[in-house]
Amino acid sequence: DGEPFIGDPTHKAKVLYLSEQGNDLVRAMQTSGIDVEDAESIQVVQYRDIWRDPWAENIESAVLTAEDQGREILVVDTFAAFSKLRGSEENDSGSIQERLEPLKSAAHAHNLAVLLVHHSGRDSWIRGSSAFDGTVDIITHLSRREGQQSESERKLTAIGRCAPLNLNVELTEEGIYVPLGSDSRVKFSTAVKAIREHAPRVEAEAKDFDGFVVLVKTASGTEVSKSTIED
């Protein structure tokens, strides 16, 4: 939409979206606040319609479609599905680099912003070969914050050819992401909220301080220090 994202300006651009999602795609887009009727802004190509075609040919067709329709962004979701990664190929540097070549061409030769979506591993980082790290320009990782209780909060991390980013964000009821700050800032803000909710208002409700510390830690889900609560 060209609206600011977590406080930073954005450039409105048309999107060509390759999606592996099936029958629930429309619902998922609506939940994300995407106007499914706005074919001018976003065109979706589903995996089920092109799965028989070779990976390189699909990307070539996508590039031609993007150029013909004046689209600036190509999304591949997910990379493993569309590039037909099988078994151990995900961990093989040669296989990954070979499949990334059509996307590199799309980005450099056709001036497309290419976003590929890939799953995380058990360590909460990119699953598979380190070839991803050495080939793409920027790696952005979206995850739950450790110890997080709110369903609307996520941790956003980015490394690569950009200034490092380590930020917590929250999706508001209006469908807008707002920055919450660093982990320490989020913990502090959560603790303050818990203190305000549970602090006694009158002398008759006074609590033992050590017990109050335990109550705040339990309510906030953070390891806020006793001295911070005391301050």
Side-chain angles (χ1 to χ4, degrees):
D1 293 327
E3 298 294 329
F5 176 70
I6 58 173
D8 289 330
T10 66
H11 166 70
K12 185 174 182 178
K14 297 179 181 179
V15 179
L16 178 59
Y17 199 110
L18 309 187
S19 174
E20 72 167 315
Q21 278 194 260
N23 296 330
D24 61 340
L25 177 60
V26 172
R27 180 189 57 80
M29 292 177 66
Q30 291 173 334
T31 301
S32 301
I34 298 174
D35 184 359
V36 295
E37 302 296 330
D38 187 9
E40 175 68 15
S41 295
I42 180 169
Q43 178 179 334
V44 178
V45 177
Q46 292 184 271
Y47 177 74
R48 66 187 183 191
D49 295 326
I50 61 173
W51 70 271
R52 293 182 179 85
D53 302 326
W55 159 246
E57 289 185 15
N58 280 331
I59 297 304
E60 183 179 356
S61 297
V63 168
L64 293 175
T65 299
E67 289 184 335
D68 182 60
Q69 299 178 358
R71 301 187 183 275
E72 301 175 62
I73 302 174
L74 171 62
V75 181
V76 181
D77 181 12
T78 61
F79 174 73
F82 280 94
S83 66
K84 298 178 174 60
L85 283 175
R86 297 291 182 266
S88 61
E89 286 183 329
E90 193 173 65
N91 297 306
D92 180 65
S93 176
S95 296
I96 296 300
Q97 289 179 339
E98 179 183 355
R99 285 169 169 80
L100 287 174
E101 281 302 317
L103 296 179
K104 288 174 62 179
S105 175
H108 296 292
H110 300 278
N111 200 31
L112 278 173
V114 178
L115 170 65
L116 61 93
V117 180
H118 192 57
H119 293 297
S120 300
R122 292 183 178 179
D123 59 355
S124 296
W125 196 241
I126 289 181
R127 195 173 70 189
S129 170
S130 59
F132 287 110
D133 302 45
T135 304
V136 302
D137 290 333
I138 300 171
I139 297 175
T140 304
H141 187 251
L142 190 66
S143 62
R144 292 181 180 274
R145 184 167 52 83
E146 186 175 351
Q148 167 189 320
Q149 294 182 346
S150 172
E151 286 295 321
S152 61
E153 294 180 18
R154 292 293 184 272
K155 187 177 186 64
L156 185 63
T157 305
I159 60 172
R161 296 182 178 91
C162 65
L165 176 69
N166 196 337
L167 183 68
N168 293 287
V169 297
E170 181 178 19
L171 182 63
T172 65
E173 293 182 357
E174 294 75 27
I176 300 173
Y177 280 100
V178 295
L180 298 177
S182 63
D183 286 345
S184 58
R185 181 63 187 172
V186 171
K187 286 182 180 180
F188 180 79
S189 298
T190 304
V192 169
K193 181 179 179 182
I195 290 172
R196 289 175 174 170
E197 288 179 352
H198 298 282
R201 298 290 187 269
V202 295
E203 185 176 354
E205 299 175 352
K207 301 179 184 294
D208 171 77
F209 183 68
D210 288 337
F212 182 64
V213 170
V214 174
L215 175 63
V216 169
K217 288 186 176 183
T218 302
S220 64
T222 65
E223 289 301 318
V224 60
S225 67
K226 182 177 180 179
S227 60
T228 297
I229 297 175
E230 188 172 25
D231 292 342

